[in-house]
Amino acid sequence: MRQALLLGNPKTKRTLYLEKGAKDAGMPVGFWDWKDFKGPCLPPIWQGRELFIKIDPPVWTSCCLEELDPLTRDYEEKLMALERVGEKESIVFLNTPLAIRQLLDKRSCKEKLRQQGIPATECLAGSVDSADRLLDMMERQGVSQVFIKPVRGSGAAGIAAFRYQKRTGKRMLYTCGMEDPVTGRLVNTKRLRCFTDRQQVTALVDRLLKQDCIVERWYAKAQYQGYSYDLRAVVQDGQTDFMLARLSKGPITNLHLNNHPLKASELKLPPRVLEEIEELCKKAAGCYGGLRSAGLDILLEKGSLRPRVIEMNSQGDLIYQDIFWENKIYRRQAEMMKEWLEGE
């Protein structure tokens, strides 16, 4: 007997709206709580059955950026255990544990896209672990502004935009990270701040770069009504099911930072640009076997509107502007499950 199953967290929006999509599709979906995950084996109730499993990310309660890497590595170990489960049991995954694990690493993802000739925001060469080394690298490569991003992480955790004016020595840092005045830990506040004090900026950049980070070239983004913007696209089975513009007055566009969402259709992009975006998303998602659903952040260069992949996320399907309206993304996933169920 076949069964669709969600491995996730109870009563989260991810769970509730996938269940809603499944109900709308007229199919049942079982639930496996991450708290009940016991390594490379299924719970007894699901053993010996044919399963279609969707994996949602675990819920992390820590906001400490120094804990981001070990938390992600713990998740990677769970995904490796799920790979072993898949080798022993009859399981089809929406996104395979291997594909999810591969996309957790921003550095290797950018390298894969580069090797495949897919336009993406450029990672600047060189190893940097301090503000001084970062400035040396920026001078060598002739850039005055960059993004700093943890190799593992999401939701703008640890992301920073750094500007440096060599002539004046002025430094500016936009980030949600800051030092907790009580514990001294570097935490993700989920609130974007701009720091301009030279000593404070240098100290924060030093601490950020002590994590495993990539440094990206800062591209000028396309603009709409005085806002710069990028796009979040959700691609499922090679089809773009949802696309949203994320507008911001600052350099970081994540919507949970009080930035402005806009239907992509409101941008009135030329048909050839829309075709380029669709093709780019399809090719990028196709780089990974076992990836049926992916969220992609797409930059359009100012002036030319040339699209580039900023990031890829194998679990980037929770978009409030969708679930509170059509719930199209999760309904499509439920339809994928239903098609598999009815194929027995």
Side-chain angles (χ1 to χ4, degrees), residues 21 37 117 150 162-163 181 197 206 277 318 329 337:
F37 183 79
F162 177 63
R163 282 188 170 128
D197 177 80
D206 280 340
I277 294 168
L318 177 63
I329 297 167
M337 295 177 177

Side-chain angles (χ1 to χ4, degrees), residues 236-262:
Q236 302 191 123
D237 275 353
Q239 173 182 313
T240 301
D241 282 338
F242 191 85
M243 190 158 62
L244 183 75
R246 307 185 302 181
L247 281 63
S248 176
K249 290 291 187 180
I252 299 176
T253 57
N254 297 67
L255 293 178
H256 67 274
L257 302 179
N258 293 321
N259 289 318
H260 303 286
L262 182 75

Side-chain angles (χ1 to χ4, degrees), residues 270-285:
R272 60 101 183 159
V273 174
L274 292 172
E275 290 171 6
E276 289 175 4
I277 294 168
E278 292 260 0
E279 187 64 20
L280 176 65
C281 290
K282 185 176 179 178
K283 285 183 177 179

Side-chain angles (χ1 to χ4, degrees), residues 198-247:
R198 181 188 177 98
Q199 186 174 358
Q200 192 175 26
V201 168
T202 300
L204 277 170
V205 170
D206 280 340
R207 291 197 66 175
L208 287 169
L209 289 173
K210 289 296 185 288
Q211 316 306 309
D212 189 10
C213 289
I214 59 173
V215 177
E216 287 185 350
R217 186 179 298 274
W218 181 336
Y219 294 79
K221 294 180 179 179
Q223 294 191 328
Y224 177 82
Q225 295 185 356
Y227 292 88
S228 60
Y229 70 87
D230 58 23
L231 303 168
R232 163 59 66 93
V234 177
V235 177
Q236 302 191 123
D237 275 353
Q239 173 182 313
T240 301
D241 282 338
F242 191 85
M243 190 158 62
L244 183 75
R246 307 185 302 181
L247 281 63

Side-chain angles (χ1 to χ4, degrees), residues 68-86:
L68 184 61
D69 198 57
L71 283 169
T72 308
R73 293 196 183 280
D74 177 71
Y75 183 31
E76 289 178 325
E77 290 176 5
K78 288 182 170 67
L79 290 168
M80 286 188 283
L82 279 169
E83 289 176 41
R84 295 196 292 274
V85 174

Side-chain angles (χ1 to χ4, degrees), residues 68-183:
L68 184 61
D69 198 57
L71 283 169
T72 308
R73 293 196 183 280
D74 177 71
Y75 183 31
E76 289 178 325
E77 290 176 5
K78 288 182 170 67
L79 290 168
M80 286 188 283
L82 279 169
E83 289 176 41
R84 295 196 292 274
V85 174
E87 293 168 359
K88 296 185 296 183
E89 303 282 351
S90 180
I91 297 175
V92 172
F93 291 99
L94 176 71
N95 287 338
T96 64
L98 176 59
I100 296 171
R101 192 158 53 86
Q102 289 174 325
L103 282 176
L104 287 173
D105 187 328
K106 292 184 179 70
R107 182 181 289 119
S108 68
C109 180
K110 285 294 180 69
E111 179 60 20
K112 179 180 281 287
L113 293 175
R114 188 192 66 80
Q115 291 174 355
Q116 296 297 318
I118 295 174
T121 50
E122 180 188 0
C123 282
L124 299 179
S127 175
V128 290
D129 57 7
S130 70
D132 287 341
R133 289 190 176 183
L134 174 63
L135 291 172
D136 287 343
M137 184 193 72
M138 291 170 66
E139 185 170 353
R140 289 196 309 272
Q141 302 205 19
V143 297
S144 60
Q145 47 193 26
V146 296
F147 279 97
I148 302 166
K149 299 179 179 180
V151 171
R152 296 169 176 83
S154 60
I159 292 177
F162 177 63
R163 282 188 170 128
Y164 173 63
Q165 296 179 354
K166 182 179 179 180
R167 181 177 59 82
T168 63
K170 185 177 180 180
R171 305 177 184 189
M172 298 178 67
L173 184 72
Y174 302 84
T175 182
C176 297
M178 67 176 296
E179 185 177 288
D180 186 290
V182 177
T183 65

